Amino acid sequence: MRLGVAFFATMNVMLLSISVWAGAEGATRDLFHWISALIALPTVAFAGQPFYRNAFAALRRGALNMDVPITLAIVLTIATSLYETIQSGAHAYFDATLMLCFFLLAGRYLDHRTRAVARSAAEELAALEVARATRLRDGIEETVTQAELAVGDLIRGCTQADLDRAASPFGLAVPAGIVSSTGIAGLTLGGGHGYLTRAHGLTIDNLLEAQVVLADGRIVTASGTTNPDLFWALRGGGGNFGVVTEFTYRAHPAGEVFAGPVFYDIAHAAEIMRWYRDALSGMPRELAVFLGLKTVPSTDPFPRDIWGRRICALIVCYNGPEAEGRRAMQPIHDALPDPLMNGMSVMRFADLQAMFDPLLPKGMQWYWKGDYVTELTDAAIAAHVAHGSRSPSELSLMHLYPIDGAVHEVAPDATAWGARNQKWSMVIAGIDPDPAKADELAAWAKAYWEAVHAENGHGGSYVNFMMADEGQGRIRAAYGGNYDRLAEVKRRYDPENLFHINQNIRP
């Protein structure tokens, strides 16, 4: 519609301009200029809105984009023309302003159509591809067609890395986790948070559709319009309702990012955590900063002189150009002590996702405890420092993941996920390759959690950060007011509780 309005206005003003160019003078020329102004002013106010919105959004972030000079050009030519008209000047440029607006809108439309055609062609090509699966035999992965599969074959599901590899060539990513070996199905069904969450929400907020095998063997589609109650429950309710065999996601631009870890000595942890508590809400959404109390692993690529050092870490991702990322980081550097290491650089988003994979191979001993955090109190900070500084292994850690920004813009009952008003998702993880340390890891994680839990405020946890020994009360707390509705959906789709090897919602 904006394109049509701009075209119609351009043609009318051009007719008036031709009369002026043909020699109209004095009162006649002024009349034509005023008529042109009456046509041009409302037209550029309406038709130019896409440029204005994008320009103002960029300026609010302290950034620039192509719509900023476009907006300036439109405003300046309109202002100059209006001044000339008021002064009975010989020249006005309403025709040029409208032509600029029209051709730019036409370019946007053609770009949109070209992308749509390319996307449609890609979807048609994908439909022709033979469906394949990754089969596990004797611990070895092999890619086979679906026709080669047999009953009893063990199939590996899609991981975060698979999703990142598919999206990365297009400069896109789905908001999800931070370790690429994570299974994408379990991550999604539990909620899913990571580097893109502040800007684009949880993984479930970007889930458009799912194909589900139900307890009775039926294969159904769940979306906002098909089986909407099942779709609601899948978004945060875990694996309680069926086996999801296919997800359709909304992806977002995330090609190259300015990202990496920044390490500070543990002696500064309390100061940094207090700063983090106060500063998070003022950070641009493109800037994701999660905080960790950790130990520097004694391995490359970390500098040898800090191997084994206890640290307070900021793991950072700015989804945008390096120059913008450095500007966003400057207030952080100004506010905090000098770091032991600043590992931030430009990298592909998919490479950032895989950054921690070498530290966390398969077969590790894990024990973790989670909590949603309403407020990071001084008492909680003191407990964090006390327990975080005496972790039982180099890989054991505490992380605080921000779940503000776009997450808070979704209504608490719009999905099953139960923490729309919380600020952080906390995990305490005891990790080590030695099975003999399993009890020590669990004891440390439990004691740490006991020390901070009362201060965290919510009472529940991200279900993907819960162990099998949590108990039904903790599961209820995780979902809060959404739990009873989840139980109703469970009764409808899995009344016999076939799917119960999970954080179980009982029918």
Side-chain angles (χ1 to χ4, degrees):
M1 182 177 180
R2 288 187 173 89
L3 182 62
V5 170
F7 176 76
F8 183 76
T10 300
M11 292 299 99
N12 280 277
V13 171
M14 286 297 295
L15 290 174
L16 294 168
S17 296
I18 289 171
S19 300
V20 173
W21 300 337
E25 295 181 345
T28 303
R29 180 191 63 209
D30 291 347
L31 175 63
F32 287 164
H33 281 172
W34 276 112
I35 296 173
S36 296
L38 291 173
I39 296 171
L41 288 170
T43 299
V44 296
F46 171 71
Q49 286 181 16
F51 309 120
Y52 312 147
R53 282 197 298 266
N54 290 339
F56 293 147
L59 292 173
R60 281 197 300 269
R61 300 194 305 268
L64 296 175
N65 59 23
M66 283 301 298
D67 288 329
V68 173
I70 288 172
T71 299
L72 284 174
I74 292 173
V75 171
L76 289 175
T77 51
I78 279 287
T80 301
S81 300
L82 192 58
Y83 175 81
E84 287 289 319
T85 300
I86 293 171
Q87 297 296 319
S88 297
H91 303 288
Y93 311 101
F94 297 114
D95 50 358
T97 307
L98 291 170
M99 288 179 66
L100 173 66
C101 195
F102 167 70
F103 283 116
L104 287 170
L105 286 169
R108 291 283 170 95
Y109 172 75
L110 292 173
D111 177 69
H112 173 75
R113 291 295 304 159
T114 302
R115 289 173 182 267
V117 170
R119 189 180 300 111
S120 176
E123 289 172 353
E124 291 175 5
L125 287 172
L128 297 174
E129 184 181 2
V130 176
R132 298 179 181 275
T134 301
R135 181 168 60 192
L136 301 177
R137 280 190 173 173
D138 300 323
I140 299 173
E141 294 185 0
E142 55 180 356
T143 301
V144 298
T145 65
Q146 284 190 0
E148 296 176 79
L149 295 175
V151 175
D153 281 348
L154 182 62
I155 308 302
R156 177 179 72 76
C158 182
T159 65
Q160 175 79 64
D162 297 323
L163 182 61
D164 290 337
R165 277 194 295 267
S168 183
F170 302 97
L172 299 172
V174 175
I178 64 163
V179 177
S180 73
S181 58
T182 305
I184 197 64
L187 182 144
T188 299
L189 297 175
H193 52 60
Y195 296 112
L196 302 181
T197 292
R198 299 190 70 231
H200 301 298
L202 303 168
T203 310
I204 55 171
D205 298 333
N206 295 277
L207 179 63
L208 304 177
E209 187 177 281
Q211 186 180 80
V212 191
V213 181
L214 299 177
D216 61 8
R218 287 181 296 144
I219 301 175
V220 302
T221 296
S223 69
T225 56
T226 305
N227 298 307
D229 57 340
L230 178 60
F231 187 57
W232 176 87
L234 291 175
R235 289 177 292 162
N240 277 282
F241 307 96
V243 178
V244 181
T245 58
E246 184 177 306
F247 296 91
T248 302
Y249 297 104
R250 179 189 302 109
H252 300 272
E256 286 194 336
V257 296
F258 182 57
V262 184
F263 293 165
Y264 301 87
D265 190 273
I266 194 69
H268 302 300
E271 173 190 355
I272 294 170
M273 294 183 80
R274 286 192 294 270
W275 163 85
Y276 184 56
R277 172 185 64 194
D278 299 333
L280 177 65
S281 61
M283 294 180 187
R285 291 190 179 183
E286 294 80 7
L287 182 65
V289 181
F290 74 80
L291 183 144
L293 299 182
K294 308 156 73 77
T295 304
V296 180
S298 299
T299 184
D300 292 330
F302 304 105
R304 283 181 173 267
D305 60 337
I306 61 171
W307 282 8
R309 288 278 292 271
R310 306 276 186 174
I311 56 168
C312 179
L314 300 181
I315 313 300
V316 183
C317 173
Y318 184 85
N319 184 21
E322 179 182 4
E324 292 181 14
R326 290 191 180 278
R327 282 197 296 271
M329 285 299 295
Q330 193 56 53
I332 298 176
H333 295 316
D334 292 343
L336 299 182
D338 292 337
L340 297 172
M341 185 196 85
N342 185 345
M344 294 189 68
S345 64
V346 176
M347 64 184 76
R348 292 189 318 143
F349 182 76
D351 294 334
L352 172 65
Q353 291 283 80
M355 179 179 288
F356 299 112
D357 290 7
L359 301 175
L360 301 170
K362 295 177 182 178
M364 303 287 279
Q365 302 296 308
W366 286 78
Y367 188 92
W368 48 18
K369 297 282 288 185
D371 252 355
Y372 292 126
V373 180
T374 308
E375 197 59 63
L376 194 56
T377 66
D378 288 343
I381 290 172
H384 277 295
V385 175
H387 288 267
S389 60
R390 55 174 188 265
S391 56
S393 67
E394 282 194 350
L395 294 175
S396 295
L397 53 84
M398 186 285 299
H399 282 171
L400 283 171
Y401 300 100
I403 48 173
D404 61 332
V407 178
H408 289 185
E409 293 176 352
V410 178
D413 60 353
T415 66
W417 197 77
R420 292 291 178 181
N421 60 348
Q422 301 300 293
K423 293 183 180 178
W424 292 279
S425 175
M426 179 199 76
V427 65
I428 300 164
I431 313 168
D432 197 82
D434 185 2
K437 297 192 71 171
D439 290 343
E440 183 184 1
L441 298 174
W444 172 78
K446 290 177 180 178
Y448 190 157
W449 182 85
E450 289 285 352
V452 298
H453 173 64
E455 295 292 329
N456 288 337
H458 181 274
S461 168
Y462 180 42
V463 293
N464 289 346
F465 289 161
M466 293 171 68
M467 300 292 286
D469 58 358
E470 295 280 359
Q472 202 64 24
R474 283 276 285 162
I475 297 171
R476 278 186 167 274
Y479 295 109
N482 291 332
Y483 184 88
D484 290 340
R485 183 178 173 188
L486 279 166
E488 290 178 12
V489 179
K490 179 74 168 179
R491 284 191 290 273
R492 177 176 180 184
Y493 289 95
D494 184 18
E496 301 301 320
N497 204 12
L498 175 67
F499 302 112
H500 64 276
I501 310 299
N502 45 43
Q503 300 302 333
N504 194 231
I505 296 163
R506 296 172 183 169

